[in-house]
Amino acid sequence: MLRECEGYIPFAGYQTYYRVAGECQPGRLPLLVLHGGPGAAHYYLQSLDGIAEKYGRAVVYYDQISCGRSKTPPMPERWGCSLFLDELACVRAYLAATFGWDRLHILGQSWGGMLGMMYAIGEPWHEHGHEGLASMVVASSPASMDLWLHEAIRLRHYLPREMDEALAQADVDGDYSRPEVRAATAEYYRRHVSKVPEDERPANLHSPEPDQVGDECYHFMQGMSEFVVTGALSHWSVVDQLPTIDVPTLVTSGAADECTPLVAKQVADGIPGARWELFPDGTHWVHGEQPERYNAVVERFLEEHE
């Protein structure tokens, strides 16, 4: 049976929830997982528990502030890249002090990979340093939100014309509740975000309850949909800073992912020595659609960089 522990880390006047799955066998370093969104919480990534179960490596998750079990009121005056980078540094300091894990690997999915890249770059994003970062997995993440948005709209255009037009109109008038908009959103998600709707996944792979503040955080940071970036991440880019990353990096993505091959390639080409694994038929949730293969690919990479 998989050993688990959980708890809370004081941060910014609130409590950041964390969960540790498994234990590290000798010679293995833990894997710290950064979820997407912002505001998506860690649940959808718990297929990575398979790494702990099969390979004897502790996998650490945490809910970023204002989502999941890291509850706060809405605080748009504080949400931003610097807050989430400070939280990551706080989590790392806690893991080092509590478990002795001053060296570890990081896997960041979607927004989590953006967070991981900023962390590995250091200045001008933050001043914490990234000592002890053995390797990084950037999972379905962009280096440029402008390219991400361009590709999302390109993918949307492949939908039936009436669906494409419904989604475009919703981004204009803000009414995402119309049946035709909901149907078009579901079809886009099925094609590019997850073949398995969230409410059809096993209970451990989706949020147990609605998360209003997490949704507000997403809307503040990103925008109201996948096809508008009007929030704090508008025009966000680390493209010019990727060559400064000196951490061994694996880039992963799915062939049908909303993180298209063009988006993933920009990351893989920009980080010196980065390796790229493209999973056939996978979407943005490829880690949950192909868990055995995905976990094996990640584990092999981690073992090379202990």
Side-chain angles (χ1 to χ4, degrees):
M1 187 174 180
L2 185 66
R3 181 175 179 180
E4 301 179 41
C5 69
E6 60 184 358
Y8 288 88
I9 303 167
F11 174 70
Y14 297 97
Q15 298 286 319
T16 293
Y17 169 81
Y18 74 91
R19 171 180 174 262
V20 180
E23 301 174 275
C24 285
Q25 294 179 356
R28 297 274 202 281
L29 298 175
L31 175 63
L32 176 60
V33 179
L34 314 180
H35 67 70
H42 77 283
Y43 303 103
Y44 75 100
L45 286 162
Q46 289 186 135
S47 59
L48 298 172
D49 278 9
I51 291 176
E53 294 168 345
K54 189 170 183 178
Y55 302 108
R57 181 186 304 280
V59 179
V60 185
Y61 308 88
Y62 71 97
D63 285 341
Q64 294 160 27
I65 191 167
S66 300
C67 75
R69 297 176 68 177
S70 299
K71 303 292 187 184
T72 74
M75 47 185 200
E77 73 283 356
R78 300 180 70 177
W79 288 332
C81 293
S82 61
L83 178 70
F84 295 109
L85 286 162
D86 288 346
E87 183 181 36
L88 172 54
C90 179
V91 169
R92 281 209 62 193
Y94 179 88
L95 295 177
T98 304
F99 299 96
W101 291 337
D102 55 351
R103 293 191 71 236
L104 46 68
H105 306 280
I106 279 179
L107 183 151
Q109 197 274 338
S110 196
W111 150 255
M114 297 162 63
L115 187 63
M117 286 186 281
M118 288 187 287
Y119 184 71
I121 289 165
E123 294 184 354
W125 296 105
H126 70 97
E127 300 177 352
H128 299 294
H130 59 267
E131 292 78 10
L133 186 53
S135 77
M136 176 170 64
V137 180
V138 178
S140 299
S141 307
S144 162
M145 286 304 289
D146 287 348
L147 181 60
W148 177 273
L149 180 60
H150 176 274
E151 288 292 274
I153 293 173
R154 183 180 66 83
L155 293 176
R156 194 190 73 199
H157 289 333
Y158 287 115
L159 294 172
R161 181 177 177 180
E162 63 275 12
M163 288 187 169
D164 182 17
E165 292 176 348
L167 291 170
Q169 182 61 38
D171 285 334
V172 172
D173 61 30
D175 186 356
Y176 297 93
S177 63
R178 291 191 297 269
E180 62 270 25
V181 177
R182 292 180 179 274
T185 300
E187 178 61 15
Y188 181 87
Y189 271 60
R190 184 191 66 79
R191 292 186 183 194
H192 303 298
V193 180
S194 175
K195 294 178 181 179
V196 184
E198 186 171 354
D199 59 1
E200 295 179 16
R201 298 174 190 170
N204 66 315
L205 296 180
H206 66 83
S207 179
E209 59 186 5
D211 190 350
Q212 181 178 345
V213 177
D215 291 344
E216 289 186 38
C217 180
Y218 172 81
H219 295 151
F220 177 84
M221 294 290 291
Q222 156 100 8
M224 292 304 296
S225 81
E226 298 289 330
F227 313 107
V228 291
V229 184
T230 55
L233 292 174
S234 179
H235 303 300
W236 176 93
S237 176
V238 293
V239 173
D240 293 340
Q241 298 155 345
L242 292 179
T244 68
I245 293 178
D246 58 1
V247 178
T249 301
L250 171 67
V251 176
T252 67
S253 63
D257 200 331
E258 65 176 341
C259 176
T260 66
L262 183 60
V263 172
K265 186 177 187 299
Q266 185 178 56
V267 177
D269 286 350
I271 299 175
R275 187 184 309 172
W276 178 21
E277 185 78 20
L278 181 64
F279 291 84
D281 302 320
T283 72
H284 206 49
W285 198 56
V286 63
H287 58 272
E289 295 161 353
Q290 305 175 33
E292 290 292 330
R293 183 180 175 213
Y294 190 89
N295 291 348
V297 167
V298 169
E299 175 61 24
R300 282 198 299 270
F301 179 77
L302 302 184
E303 290 177 3
E304 293 175 11
H305 301 285
E306 305 280 26

